Each structure stands twice: as structure tokens, then as C-alpha cells.
């Protein structure tokens, strides 16, 4: 349920008895000077803000990653949702490792092609801040580095020659791609970030200025002309040689297991001082501000993260950042997406929902609507863009209540408008505090409310009160009701203010001494208002945000949309003039004016009651998604209508009842299995910082296997004294492994959320040890949960190996392994499925054979379903098909849903949809049980192939408790039709064993 954020609709002509002439609206603010990189004038800056084509802009940005949404035809849907919340920019990472999985072979083909990303952003009217690394972190395997970096010598993220040579081709290639799409060439890219959080170093290392300079030179040589930025992990003054420096801040942390708990001092109060220490001549830029939280294996799930960083978090922490005159605010994440395939590092699971405003299935959380209030306010508040905080958090200042902190933020250029940000001193408090405001205004120092009563501030809430605020031709002497937006339409200034349900507020209008001060009146509704005067020229209106009157429409502020019709030219969809106000609807994507008709494009999830405020001449008719609306006119001049959503039922297959086929996916333990074609693990040395304790190197990465399941086979001849095997395997958090001697199961490390490696002792069958002179094979199946990140520069932590750290025979000191064999994804770095990319497949036999692909001939397989499972330790593969027939015009996101089982709970499964791996489930660790699969991976109008791997880690076997395909939301949509990603069918894979 949405929190009540009730509005007051104020109009200089509608709510006041005497109309006043509207003046031309010019939201461009003059400036004294601009700084530039000397290469272009499209993106400039000064100490206050960034300017785009000479106009100041609050850059309200959200983070999205194209590689976490492989369906490129859904990019526009996401960009439009970001645009409709009032944001103007999206920040995105480029993942080096997925475009250059083999050194020297760079591919931006298929889902890795960034041009659809650029084109969709421009179509939606969204600017882009590109963050191509080469290091990105991002909870991505190896922090974005390619797997071959694990066996490249030398410390990475330094100026050493081997690393310098490693990134040359990538930086040149991606630099040229970005240059072609920067604003100077008519594209949406306005900023390019160099490196990422280059803030901490391994012992013996420090900030490498040569490395920083080399990167800057490389970006410029590639054609980058827009400003280059950098994000310090905290404002510590690193990499100050970039054009526009900034920092990151995650003030509420990542403990999603306690989503309602905030530390008393969680709200940071020192960031402004740090900014002024290092870059006083640049804007205050936060290139990553907490927009959610990641969740790890064994965690609480992203619904809890969404609570931890929900709308109350946005009200308190975002507004605190605004109290520090921040004019670039990028929320990480605004849409998280999915760690499909092997994208993730070990600290996160398949979902990267992040608790973001736009959920993994592209639905809108409540915080989306809260952010919409903030973004639209900032868009129409040019005075904010030249502000400075004049006091930082003195208890009781302006309110007299020591439980409250108030920051005065004044326009240092216009020298008139003030913004007063009020929050609780104890950020953990849930108490409601009463207060009055004593503020300096153009009418003198005033105690507010002027007409009696007190203001209220709930726990975990914050407010921005304004003084001498200009809205078109109207000057607000003050307003305690928060402003969502204002617009001048048909020569009247319309201001939407809001507050929590039942709160007392005042808004005062300032008039000139020669004007006749009008009176306020109620023209609609049953609510009441109270009015008064200050010095005979200032009209005070007091109201409670509930009910409906001319100054109180009583509607949920979350329901209002501020839309801008496109202008002309190649940047038509970036227009911020001639706004149209629309209340109602799940999502309004865009508006256009066609003669006297207003054309609204949007989505519905229920019956929508619309109220529209638009120029009369261009709204004589109104259509919604091309269908004319039946209009009525209110007594105060707005248009109303309603539209019911069409949400037809859709028949989904009952997944468990489908015909399933199954086959053994662990033939490697059989006596007849031949591993001749496998890679021989025979490297005697490695450049890996972790030197081996084995006679040959048993690190999968050294042999080109960087993702998914890894299989090892140790051949030896028994001496007659061996009774067991000691094995230390490393695979990353939540990994597991299982061990067989020939066909006998010895045991498993089933994994947990803590251990990234584990040493176990596995006893051989029988009591007397192995017979002498017999050839045996030990088979080890291990999980590869992704490489570690490399946040600490020069640490080479991302090279932490995946594989066998040590082994020994129990009772067989003289026993030697004669040959080690290793297999991972088919082809390793020469991966065979170039469509789905290098991280989609692992090393299971079924994956190497292509059993997960559409069209594999499984007719000869036995019948069997994953919910029946297997009765022994091992791996089985399951396949089925089903058809979907989803009508056009609806957006019904779907997910594969399983449930936890406590009987024989130790197993791991992967889910493949039309060949794409979109789920990794570890039953005993969790927490994920719902795996979103986007349309475009699922064919909504055709045949789908679903494959499931089931790795039973216990001797008793395992099964899935349940498996279903479910609709997660129902929306009537206007989004452009989804085009399926390529789904190439199976073809024989020669040489597979």
C-alpha cells in the first residue's frame, strides 16, 4: 500500500479570487563563469552545477547495467520509467570481461552491442554517464576484469607494463564506441568515468598517478571530448586530475536482515566539508548514492533490502544530501536486473534486484513514487542549483526543538530563495516531533505557522521548507508544505505541494505593494482552509493535507506525473518546457501534442481516475494510448476522466505436469568414461599470487575455465595403503564440491554462506584400504561462484584461484597422481555459444553437450522430472517444452518459482530458459526462490525450452520441492513490442566428451 502523501493544489488564479497575469517562464539561470575541458562546450561546470548546452541542470541519475538485462528491446521501457520519475540521466558500467573473454578478441556483438542502449536512451530523453572501467567492481565476477587476467603477471590497477598492455585494446575500443555516442556527436553520453573507486591500495602501494594519467590520455586518444569524472569510494581526494571529481556514499549499509534498524548517527554530516576541502571549484557530485542494497548468499532477500532503503530512507538520506547543495546525485541502483549466467561475484546470487525503485521484474516500488516527488521538485527549482549550506546541523536551530536538525541552504547567486531541510537528530527515532519555524524572509523574521498550531515531523522523515521561492510569476513567501512541482499553464501558475496525511501546513503568497491582495476561496471539495495576512501584502493559507478543496485536492502526491511534450530537433525528447500535469495511472510514459489533442501514452494496472492540467487549446481532446477519453471539466478548470485497465487472464503451463525427459549428467564417474580430450592440468608454475601446494597447478583459470561448474579427474595407481583422500577446494562463498572414487560417492562439502574454500577428508569405501596396483580415478565436481572483486588496488584479489589448493592421500604417502584432467565450459575462453556469451555455460556434461539448448534431440531419454529427482549423489539433467500465447498490449512479467525442501536438502540447480541460464539455486543456503525471466528470453508467443540441472550432494539424492512459472504483475502496457533475443538451437558439438 502506498504511504499517503497528500497534496495541495495551489494556483494564483484558481485558488485566489483575483487573477494575476502570468509572466513568461524562464527556468534558465544565469551564471558567472563556466569551466570546460577545452574540447567542447556542450557540458560545462562551475562550483555550483553542471551545465548542458549552457543551461544549469540538477543531474538526477539512476544506475542501470545493460549486461544485467540481455533483452535489448526492453531498454526503452526501463529508460522511459526512469524519465517519467523526473530523472534526466542514467549511469552505466561496461563489463570488460564479457566483451574480451579471450585476450585480443573483443566482441560487442549480440547482447553486448551497446548501440541499442544509446539509441533507447536518446529516444526516451535520457542522458548517459558511461563508466567503462577498466575496473568496475559492481558485484561482478572479477570486478569486471576478464578471466584471463587471473594468469596475467603483474599487479593490476597499477602502471606496471603488463597491466598497461592488457587494457589497451579494450579502452581504445570502448572509448571509440563512447566517443561516437557522446553529446558532441549528437548522442546521449555527457560524461565518461575513468576507473572506479580507486581509493584503497594493497600494502606497499599507494595512489598511482602515472596509471591515472595513462588512462586519461587513453580516453582522450580514443576521442572522448566530454568531461571525464571519477568516483572516490569516499571523499578522500583521490584522482583529482579528472575534470569533475565526485564520491560515493552508502550511509545505511547493507544489513538487509534488520531492515527497520537505522543507526542513531547514520545520516552523514561531513561530506560537504570533504567536498570543499578537495574540489571547492566543482559541483558537489555523488556518483554513487545508496539506492538500495545488495544481498548475499544466505541473506534475507531483496524485499528486506527494499524496506531498508525504502521511501523513508529516500526522504531522510536523499534530502540530507540535498542539504549539502549536491547537484549531481546518482542512485545506485535504480534498476538492478539479473546476474544471469556467471556474471556475479561470490557475494551475490542470481537476482541483482538491489531493492531498487524499479524491481528486477521491471515493476515499480513505492520508493519510485517518492523519488518522483523529489526529482520533479528539483527540476523546477533553479535557485537550488546555486546554493550553499550556511549552517550544518545545529540542533534546535530554526525550530527550537533540540531533537531536530535544520540546515539552511541559500541561493548564493540569486540571494533570495532559501531551502530549509529538517530532519531528526537521532536517525533511528520513530517518534513524532512538534515544532515551529523561525525563518528569515523578505518580510522579516517570521515564526511559522503564522496562524497558530504546530508543524510535525514523523520519525524517519525529513522535509524541505522553502522561503521566497519563485514559481513562474508567483512568489511564495514561504511554504511548509513540500513542493512537488509547479507549472505555468494558460497564464496561471499552478503549484502542487504535499505532506503526510493529517499534517498542518502553511503556504504564504507574496504580492507587491501596489497589488490588491486577493483572498483565497474554496471552489471544490469539503475541506476547509484558514487565511491571514502578513504586512498587508502577504496572504497566508493554512491547510491540512487531507480532504479536498481548491487548495487541497487531497490526492496522493505519488499519483501526479509531470510530463514534457517533445520539442523539435534531434534532442526533442529532452525538452523541459511546457509541462503538462497528469494525476492517475500506474505509469505515464510520454505525452505529445497533436493540434488540439493531447496524446497520453502510459500503463495501467487498475482503473485510473485522471485529472489533467494542460493548455486548453491543445487539450480539447485527450487520448490514452490512442483511445479517446471521455472528458469532464472541473469547476476550477481541470479535465477529468477515467480508464479501466484491460488485464486478460493468461493460461500458463503447470510446469510440474509437463512431460519431462531426463539423463545422467555425470558420466565422468563411470568406468568407461574417457577424458582424453580434456585439458591436461600439467602447468608446473603459475604467476598467480597464490602459489600452489600441489605438484602441478590445479587452478581452473590457468587453463582458461572461468565460470560455472568445474570437473577435475585425478588418475592414480593404488599402493595398497590408501584409506582416504584429503582435499582443499576453493570456489568462492556458497560454493560446494562432491567427490567420487571411481563410481563410489565419497562425500561433499555442501557449502555455506561463509566459506570460500574448504578442506575435507573423504574415506575410501571398505575397511582395509585399496587393493595394490589398481588404477583409479578420483572425480571432483566443484562450483565456481565467480571471481572475487579487486576493490583494493594492486592486491590482485580477483586472481584468487578457483580449484584445488591442496590434496593428499590418507595412509598413502607414496601415492602419486599420474595425471590431472580438468574440464569447464566447452572451449573455455574459446566458448562455443557466441550468442549467449562466455559466462552462460559451465562445465557440467549436459552443458558441454548442449542439453540446455532448444532443439536438442531428447526423444531417447527416460521420462523424469526434477520434482521427482534422483535417489543418489550425482547430477541429472531435465528438459521440457511449453508454449505461451500472451496477448499484445500487456506486460506480465514472469518468474520460475521453487520452494525450499528440508528432506535431503543438499542440492544445487541451474535453470535454463531457451538456452539462457537465468537461475542458480542452492537449496540449503538460499535465499532466492523466485527467478525472474524477462520476456524476450521467454518467448511469450511461441515454444519455450526449459532445462534444469540437479546436482545432488548427499548420498540420498535430491529433488526440487516444487517448480512453477508464475506471473509476478499484471499491467496493461504501451511499451514497444518486445523482440526476442536470438535463441539459436542445438547443433552437434564435435569433440565433446
Amino acid at each position: 500500500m502506498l504511504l499517503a502523501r497528500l497534496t495541495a493544489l495551489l494556483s494564483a488564479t484558481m485558488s485566489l479570487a483575483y487573477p494575476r497575469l502570468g509572466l513568461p517562464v524562464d527556468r534558465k539561470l544565469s551564471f558567472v563563469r563556466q569551466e570546460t575541458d577545452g574540447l567542447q562546450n556542450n557540458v560545462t561546470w562551475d562550483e555550483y552545477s553542471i551545465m548542458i548546452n549552457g543551461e544549469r541542470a540538477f543531474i538526477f541519475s539512476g544506475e542501470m547495467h545493460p549486461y544485467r538485462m540481455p533483452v535489448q528491446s526492453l531498454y526503452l521501457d526501463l529508460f522511459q520509467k526512469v524519465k517519467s520519475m523526473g530523472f534526466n540521466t542514467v549511469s552505466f558500467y561496461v563489463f570488460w570481461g564479457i566483451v574480451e573473454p579471450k585476450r585480443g578478441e573483443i566482441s560487442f556483438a549480440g547482447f553486448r552491442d551497446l548501440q541499442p542502449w544509446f539509441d533507447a536512451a536518446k529516444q526516451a530523453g535520457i542522458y548517459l554517464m558511461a563508466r567503462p572501467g577498466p575496473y568496475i567492481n559492481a558485484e561482478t565476477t572479477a570486478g569486471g576484469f576478464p578471466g584471463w587476467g587471473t594468469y596475467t603477471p603483474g599487479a593490476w590497477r597499477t602502471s606496471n607494463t603488463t597491466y598497461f598492455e592488457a587494457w589497451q585494446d579494450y579502452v581504445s575500443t570502448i572509448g571509440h564506441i563512447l566517443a561516437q555516442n557522446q553529446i558532441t556527436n549528437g548522442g546521449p553520453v555527457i560524461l565518461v568515468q575513468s576507473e572506479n573507486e580507486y581509493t584503497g591500495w594493497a600494502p606497499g602501494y599507494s595512489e598511482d598517478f602515472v596509471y591515472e594519467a595513462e588512462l586519461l590520455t587513453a580516453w582522450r586518444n580514443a576521442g572522448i571530448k566530454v568531461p571525464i569524472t571519477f568516483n572516490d569510494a569516499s571523499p578522500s581526494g583521490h584522482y583529482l586530475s579528472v575534470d569533475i571529481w565526485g564520491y560515493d556514499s552508502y550511509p545505511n549499509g547493507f544489513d538487509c536482515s534488520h531492515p527497520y534498524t537505522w543507526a542513531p548517527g547514520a545520516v552523514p554530516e561531513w561530506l560537504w566539508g570533504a567536498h570543499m576541502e578537495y574540489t571547492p571549484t566543482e559541483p558537489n557530485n555523488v556518483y554513487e548514492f545508496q539506492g538500495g542494497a545488495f544481498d548475499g548468499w544466505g541473506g534475507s532477500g531483496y524485499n528486506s533490502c527494499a524496506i531498508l532503503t525504502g521511501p523513508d530512507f529516500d526522504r531522510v538520506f536523499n534530502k540530507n544530501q540535498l542539504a549539502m547543495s549536491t547537484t549531481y546525485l546518482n542512485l545506485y541502483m535504480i534498476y538492478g536486473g539479473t546476474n544471469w549466467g556467471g556474471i556475479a561475484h561470490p557475494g551475490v546470487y542470481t537476482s541483482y534486484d538491489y531493492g531498487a525503485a524499479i524491481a528486477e521484474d521491471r515493476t515499480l516500488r513505492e520508493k519510485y513514487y517518492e523519488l518522483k516527488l523529489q526529482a520533479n521538485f528539483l527540476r523546477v527549482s533553479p535557485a537550488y542549483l546555486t546554493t550553499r549550506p550556511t549552517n550544518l546541523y545545529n540542533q534546535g536551530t530554526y525550530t527550537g526543538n533540540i531533537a531536530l536538525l535544520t540546515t539552511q541552504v541559500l541561493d548564493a547567486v540569486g540571494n533570495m530563495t532559501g531551502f530549509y531541510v529538517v530532519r531528526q537528530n537521532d536517525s533511528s527515532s520513530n517518534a513524532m516531533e512538534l515544532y515551529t519555524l523561525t525563518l528569515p524572509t523578505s518580510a522579516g523574521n517570521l515564526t511559522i505557522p503564522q496562524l497558530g498550531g504546530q508543524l510535525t515531523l514523523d520519525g524517519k522523515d525529513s522535509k524541505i521548507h522553502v522561503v521566497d521561492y519563485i514559481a513562474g510569476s508567483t512568489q511564495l513567501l514561504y511554504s511548509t508544505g513540500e513542493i512537488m512541482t509547479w507549472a505555468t499553464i494558460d497564464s496561471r501558475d499552478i503549484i502542487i505541494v504535499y505532506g503526510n496525511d493529517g499534517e498542518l501546513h502553511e503556504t504564504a503568497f507574496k504580492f507587491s505593494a501596489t497589488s490588491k491582495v486577493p483572498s483565497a476561496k474554496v471552489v471544490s471539495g469539503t475541506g476547509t482552509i484558514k487565511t491571514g495576512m502578513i504586512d498587508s501584502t502577504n496572504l497566508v493559507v493554512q491547510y491540512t493535507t487531507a480532504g479536498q478543496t481548491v487548495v487541497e485536492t487531497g490526492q496522493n502526491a505519488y499519483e501526479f506525473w509531470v510530463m514534457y511534450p517533445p520539442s523539435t530537433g534531434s534532442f526533442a525528447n529532452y525538452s523541459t518546457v511546457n509541462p503538462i500535469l497528469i494525476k492517475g495511472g500506474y505509469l505515464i510514459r510520454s505525452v505529445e501534442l497533436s493540434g488540439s489533442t493531447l496524446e497520453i501514452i502510459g500503463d495501467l494496472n487498475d482503473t485510473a481516475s485522471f485529472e489533467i492540467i494542460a493548455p486548453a487549446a491543445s487539450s480539447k481532446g485527450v487520448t490514452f494510448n490512442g483511445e479517446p477519453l471521455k472528458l469532464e471539466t472541473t469547476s476550477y478548470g481541470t479535465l477529468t476522466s477515467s480508464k479501466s485497465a484491460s488485464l486478460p487472464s493468461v493460461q500458463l503451463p503447470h510446469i510440474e505436469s509437463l512431460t519431462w525427459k531426463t539423463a545422467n549428467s555425470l558420466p565422468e564417474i563411470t568406468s568407461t568414461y574417457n577424458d582424453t580430450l580434456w585439458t591436461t592440468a600439467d602447468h608446473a608454475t603459475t604467476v598467480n599470487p597464490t602459489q600452489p601446494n600441489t605438484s602441478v597447478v590445479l587452478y581452473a583459470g590457468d587453463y582458461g575455465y572461468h565460470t560455472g561448474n568445474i570437473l577435475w579427474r585425478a588418475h592414480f595407481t593404488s599402493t595398497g595403503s590408501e584409506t582416504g583422500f584429503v582435499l582443499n577446494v576453493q570456489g568462492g562463498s556458497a560454493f560446494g564440491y562432491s567427490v567420487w572414487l571411481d563410481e563410489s560417492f565419497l562425500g561433499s562439502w555442501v557449502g555455506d554462506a561463509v566459506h570460500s574454500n574448504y578442506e575435507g577428508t573423504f574415506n575410501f569405501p571398505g575397511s582395509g584400504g585399496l587393493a595394490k596396483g589398481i588404477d583409479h580415478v578420483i572425480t571432483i565436481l566443484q562450483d565456481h561462484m565467480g571471481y572475487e572483486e579487486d576493490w583494493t588496488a594492486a592486491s590482485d584479489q580477483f586472481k584468487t584461484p578457483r580449484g584445488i589448493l591442496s590434496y593428499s592421500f590418507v595412509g598413502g604417502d607414496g601415492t602419486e597422481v599420474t595425471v590431472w584432467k580438468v574440464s569447464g565450459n566447452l572451449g573455455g575462453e574459446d566458448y562455443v555459444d557466441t550468442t549467449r556469451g562466455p559466462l552462460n555455460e559451465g562445465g557440467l556434461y549436459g552443458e558441454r553437450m548442449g542439453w540446455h539448448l532448444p532443439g536438442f534431440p531428447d526423444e531417447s531419454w527416460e521420462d523424469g522430472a526434477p520434482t521427482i529427482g534422483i535417489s543418489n549423489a550425482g547430477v541429472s539433467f531435465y528438459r521440457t517444452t511449453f508454449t505461451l500465447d500472451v496477448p499484445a498490449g500487456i506486460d506480465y512479467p514472469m518468474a520460475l518459482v521453487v520452494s525450499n525442501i528440508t528432506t535431503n536438502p543438499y542440492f544445487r540447480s541451474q535453470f535454463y530458459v531457451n538456452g539462457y541460464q537465468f537461475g542458480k539455486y542452492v537449496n540449503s543456503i538460499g535465499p532466492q526462490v523466485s527467478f525472474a525471466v524477462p520476456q524476450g528470453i521467454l518467448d511469450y508467443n511461441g515454444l519455450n525450452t526449459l532445462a534444469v540441472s540437479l546436482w545432488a550432494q548427499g548420498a540420498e539424492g535430491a529433488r526440487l520441492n516444487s517448480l512453477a512459472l508464475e506471473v509476478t504483475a499484471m499491467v496493461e502496457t504501451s511499451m514497444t513490442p518486445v523482440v526476442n533475443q536470438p535463441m539459436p538451437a542445438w547443433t552437434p558439438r564435435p569433440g565433446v566428451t
Side-chain angles (χ1 to χ4, degrees):
M1 177 176 292
L2 295 180
L3 177 68
R5 308 290 286 173
L6 303 180
T7 60
L9 180 63
L10 310 177
S11 169
T13 58
M14 290 195 295
S15 65
L16 305 178
Y18 295 91
R20 299 168 61 235
L21 294 178
L23 300 177
V25 179
D26 185 2
R27 290 178 180 158
K28 297 181 180 180
L29 193 65
S30 61
F31 50 87
V32 178
R33 64 179 182 85
Q34 298 182 49
E35 291 189 13
T36 177
D37 52 22
L39 301 174
Q40 49 80 47
N41 291 306
N42 301 89
V43 184
T44 56
W45 68 94
D46 64 8
E47 67 266 44
Y48 298 114
S49 73
I50 288 173
M51 289 158 269
I52 300 177
N53 295 323
E55 182 176 354
R56 290 195 186 277
F58 185 97
I59 306 297
F60 215 152
S61 172
E63 186 87 12
M64 300 194 302
H65 301 152
Y67 63 89
R68 283 184 161 120
M69 168 47 80
V71 183
Q72 293 159 311
S73 56
L74 285 172
Y75 290 165
L76 182 60
D77 171 63
L78 293 170
F79 281 126
Q80 287 178 333
K81 285 170 176 170
V82 173
K83 178 66 177 291
S84 291
M85 67 195 299
F87 284 39
N88 54 15
T89 304
V90 160
S91 169
F92 71 101
Y93 280 132
V94 183
F95 179 6
W96 176 12
I98 212 168
V99 300
E100 192 181 4
K102 184 177 183 180
R103 186 163 185 171
E105 297 182 9
I106 298 177
S107 174
F108 280 93
F111 75 89
R112 293 169 287 193
D113 183 3
L114 291 176
Q115 197 57 50
W117 179 261
F118 299 131
D119 294 344
K122 189 171 181 183
Q123 184 177 346
I126 288 289
Y127 295 114
L128 293 175
M129 197 249 234
R131 307 207 293 163
Y135 181 73
I136 62 172
N137 211 61
E139 288 75 61
T140 299
T141 181
F145 283 154
W148 49 264
T150 61
Y151 58 79
T152 301
W156 283 42
R157 303 185 76 190
T158 72
S159 59
N160 81 71
T161 301
T162 54
Y163 176 56
F164 174 84
E165 292 171 346
W167 57 255
Q168 289 298 301
D169 287 349
Y170 166 70
V171 167
S172 176
T173 303
I174 184 59
H176 279 90
I177 292 171
L178 295 174
Q180 293 168 4
N181 290 278
Q182 60 193 335
I183 192 172
T184 56
N185 290 326
V189 176
I190 60 170
L191 299 166
V192 173
Q193 179 178 296
S194 185
E195 246 281 351
N196 185 80
E197 295 180 342
Y198 188 60
T199 306
W201 296 270
Y205 289 84
S206 60
E207 184 172 2
D208 192 330
F209 300 106
V210 174
Y211 171 47
E212 294 173 348
E214 288 171 341
L215 279 175
L216 291 177
T217 299
W219 296 124
R220 293 306 187 196
N221 288 343
I224 300 299
K225 295 182 178 179
V226 295
I228 295 177
T229 69
F230 169 70
N231 65 322
D232 229 342
S234 61
S236 307
H238 301 118
Y239 211 165
L240 293 174
S241 56
V242 298
D243 296 312
I244 311 177
W245 175 88
Y247 56 90
D248 298 350
S249 178
Y250 291 83
N252 218 21
F254 301 93
D255 184 5
C256 298
S257 63
H258 298 90
Y260 298 100
T261 301
W262 296 4
V267 180
E269 300 182 357
W270 59 280
L271 298 175
W272 173 256
H275 157 67
M276 291 301 289
E277 177 182 355
Y278 297 118
T279 54
T281 62
E282 297 173 14
N284 189 17
N285 308 299
V286 188
Y287 291 133
E288 287 185 30
F289 191 73
Q290 187 161 16
F294 62 78
D295 192 46
W297 290 99
S300 302
Y302 281 113
N303 287 338
S304 293
C305 297
I307 296 171
L308 178 71
T309 59
D312 48 357
F313 170 90
D314 289 325
R315 286 193 295 273
V316 173
F317 288 87
N318 291 8
K319 290 177 184 178
N320 176 70
Q321 205 62 47
L322 297 179
M324 291 180 278
S325 295
T326 302
T327 56
Y328 190 115
L329 189 63
N330 177 56
L331 303 187
Y332 188 104
M333 303 288 296
I334 204 68
Y335 170 77
T338 304
N339 291 315
W340 62 283
I343 283 174
H345 87 128
V348 291
Y349 41 87
T350 301
S351 175
Y352 197 66
D353 178 279
Y354 216 80
I358 304 173
E360 183 182 12
D361 64 359
R362 297 177 294 103
T363 56
L364 310 180
R365 286 193 168 100
E366 182 181 349
K367 64 191 295 182
Y368 175 97
Y369 300 95
E370 173 61 35
L371 290 169
K372 179 155 61 78
L373 299 182
Q374 298 177 20
N376 281 293
F377 165 65
L378 292 163
R379 176 172 279 179
V380 298
S381 301
Y384 175 79
L385 296 175
T386 50
T387 58
R388 284 291 180 264
T390 62
N391 72 304
L392 287 175
Y393 315 117
N394 294 320
Q395 288 178 252
T397 305
Y398 303 109
T399 66
N401 184 339
I402 62 172
L404 302 179
L405 298 176
T406 305
T407 306
Q408 181 188 57
V409 187
L410 296 182
D411 179 5
V413 174
N415 295 313
M416 181 175 71
T417 303
F419 303 84
Y420 293 83
V421 185
V422 182
R423 66 172 175 85
Q424 301 229 13
N425 178 43
D426 180 354
S427 53
S428 68
S429 174
N430 291 309
M432 183 181 74
E433 296 292 337
L434 302 176
Y435 65 104
T436 59
L437 286 167
T438 301
L439 302 178
T441 74
S442 58
N445 288 336
L446 299 177
T447 298
I448 303 166
Q450 279 278 292
L451 305 182
Q454 289 183 299
L455 305 175
T456 58
L457 184 70
D458 290 334
K460 298 182 178 176
D461 198 3
S462 178
K463 298 184 184 298
I464 301 178
H465 306 304
V466 299
V467 167
D468 290 310
Y469 181 92
I470 302 300
S473 61
T474 300
Q475 179 174 339
L476 300 182
L477 181 64
Y478 64 82
S479 180
T480 68
E482 292 190 86
I483 295 171
M484 176 196 175
T485 192
W486 62 266
T488 300
I489 299 175
D490 289 342
S491 298
R492 57 184 183 179
D493 298 331
I494 298 160
I495 308 164
I496 299 177
V497 301
Y498 66 93
N500 290 332
D501 190 12
E503 287 182 341
L504 179 74
H505 286 289
E506 281 186 357
T507 299
F509 297 85
K510 184 178 181 67
F511 298 89
S512 68
T514 59
S515 299
K516 181 178 180 181
V517 179
S519 60
K521 67 176 183 178
V522 174
V523 297
S524 174
T526 58
T528 59
I529 61 173
K530 186 177 181 181
T531 63
M533 299 295 297
I534 302 173
D535 297 339
S536 75
T537 58
N538 300 283
L539 174 65
V540 180
V541 180
Q542 188 178 91
Y543 49 93
T544 301
T545 42
Q548 177 163 333
T549 73
V550 67
V551 294
E552 294 179 285
T553 61
Q555 306 298 335
N556 196 312
Y558 287 165
E559 296 181 13
F560 276 89
W561 306 87
V562 184
M563 309 304 297
Y564 297 88
S567 57
T568 59
S570 63
F571 286 87
N573 291 328
Y574 291 82
S575 175
T576 57
V577 298
N578 303 317
I580 291 170
L581 308 180
I582 301 171
K583 178 189 73 66
Y586 172 73
L587 170 68
I588 304 299
R589 294 180 183 268
S590 63
V591 296
E592 291 196 26
L593 300 177
S594 178
S596 61
T597 300
L598 169 63
E599 299 172 349
I600 303 173
I601 305 298
D603 294 10
L604 303 175
N605 63 354
D606 202 346
T607 298
S609 297
F610 293 117
E611 184 166 10
I612 302 162
I613 307 174
S618 53
S619 58
K620 294 179 181 178
V622 179
T623 63
F624 186 83
N625 295 342
E627 180 181 333
L629 295 178
K630 183 178 180 181
L631 300 173
E632 296 182 0
T633 304
T634 66
S635 60
Y636 47 94
T638 65
L639 302 174
T640 61
S641 188
S642 64
K643 178 76 166 61
S644 295
S646 175
L647 303 172
S649 60
V650 172
Q651 186 69 36
L652 296 184
H654 186 261
I655 297 295
E656 295 182 21
S657 299
L658 296 173
T659 298
W660 286 87
K661 293 289 187 175
T662 185
N664 174 31
S665 188
L666 193 66
E668 294 91 347
I669 65 173
T670 62
S671 60
T672 58
Y673 187 79
N674 187 338
D675 62 17
T676 303
L677 295 181
W678 281 28
T679 301
T680 301
D682 58 0
H683 294 181
T685 61
T686 179
V687 299
N688 196 289
T690 303
Q691 287 297 296
N693 293 312
T694 52
S695 59
V696 294
V697 178
L698 299 178
Y699 301 162
D702 277 38
Y703 302 97
Y705 300 116
H706 305 297
T707 190
N709 297 293
I710 307 294
L711 280 149
W712 302 91
R713 283 169 58 86
H715 296 256
F716 71 97
T717 301
S718 58
T719 64
S721 59
E722 304 90 343
T723 61
F725 194 61
V726 180
L727 187 64
N728 189 351
V729 180
Q730 186 160 262
S733 299
F735 92 110
Y737 65 92
S738 297
V739 186
W740 288 261
L741 174 67
D742 304 322
E743 297 187 21
S744 298
F745 176 62
L746 302 184
S748 295
W749 162 247
V750 298
D752 59 29
V754 177
H755 290 83
S756 61
N757 69 284
Y758 187 80
E759 182 176 84
T761 299
F762 303 91
N763 295 323
F764 291 155
S767 57
L770 301 180
K772 183 178 180 179
I774 306 298
D775 292 336
H776 296 279
V777 178
I778 294 175
T779 301
I780 303 153
L781 170 60
Q782 73 157 104
D783 223 342
H784 186 318
M785 308 302 285
Y787 286 120
E788 306 298 334
E789 294 172 309
D790 202 51
W791 190 92
T792 302
S795 69
D796 278 353
Q797 188 178 7
F798 82 102
K799 297 179 181 179
T800 302
R802 300 294 181 246
I804 298 172
L805 300 181
S806 65
Y807 69 91
S808 62
F809 289 87
V810 178
D813 293 338
T815 307
E816 294 184 359
V817 174
T818 56
V819 63
W820 278 95
K821 290 284 190 171
V822 61
S823 184
N825 66 296
L826 184 62
E829 292 175 7
D830 292 307
Y831 59 101
V832 295
D833 190 344
T834 57
T835 298
R836 299 175 181 89
L839 299 178
N840 187 61
E841 300 177 8
L844 292 178
Y845 182 79
E847 294 175 294
R848 305 196 311 269
M849 293 293 292
W851 291 355
H852 57 294
L853 298 174
F856 178 81
D858 59 13
E859 296 85 357
S860 63
W861 287 14
E862 296 180 357
D863 291 340
T867 50
I868 297 175
I870 54 177
S871 57
N872 55 275
V875 183
S876 284
F877 227 84
Y878 302 87
R879 288 175 50 85
T880 192
T881 60
F882 58 88
T883 299
L884 294 176
D885 185 17
V886 179
I890 58 174
D891 184 11
Y892 288 12
M894 298 183 193
L896 289 169
V897 181
V898 298
S899 58
N900 182 262
I901 188 171
T902 56
T903 302
N904 301 332
Y906 301 114
F907 66 88
R908 294 162 183 262
S909 281
Q910 296 173 142
F911 306 116
Y912 285 93
V913 179
N914 294 318
Y916 290 85
Q917 185 194 133
F918 257 79
K920 188 181 187 74
Y921 176 59
V922 184
N923 180 75
S924 61
I925 300 177
Q928 187 175 3
V929 294
S930 179
F931 298 85
V933 184
Q935 183 179 1
I937 298 299
L938 271 170
D939 185 345
Y940 273 32
N941 299 99
L943 183 67
N944 293 273
T945 297
L946 174 61
V948 178
S949 65
L950 178 65
W951 169 7
Q953 295 181 276
E956 303 82 3
R959 67 179 182 87
L960 290 180
N961 193 49
S962 62
L963 179 61
L965 181 65
E966 298 181 1
V967 169
T968 59
M970 299 174 68
V971 178
E972 179 186 350
T973 188
S974 57
M975 71 180 188
T976 56
V978 176
V979 178
N980 289 337
Q981 286 300 113
M983 304 172 184
W986 176 87
T987 57
R989 294 181 164 188
V992 181
T993 61

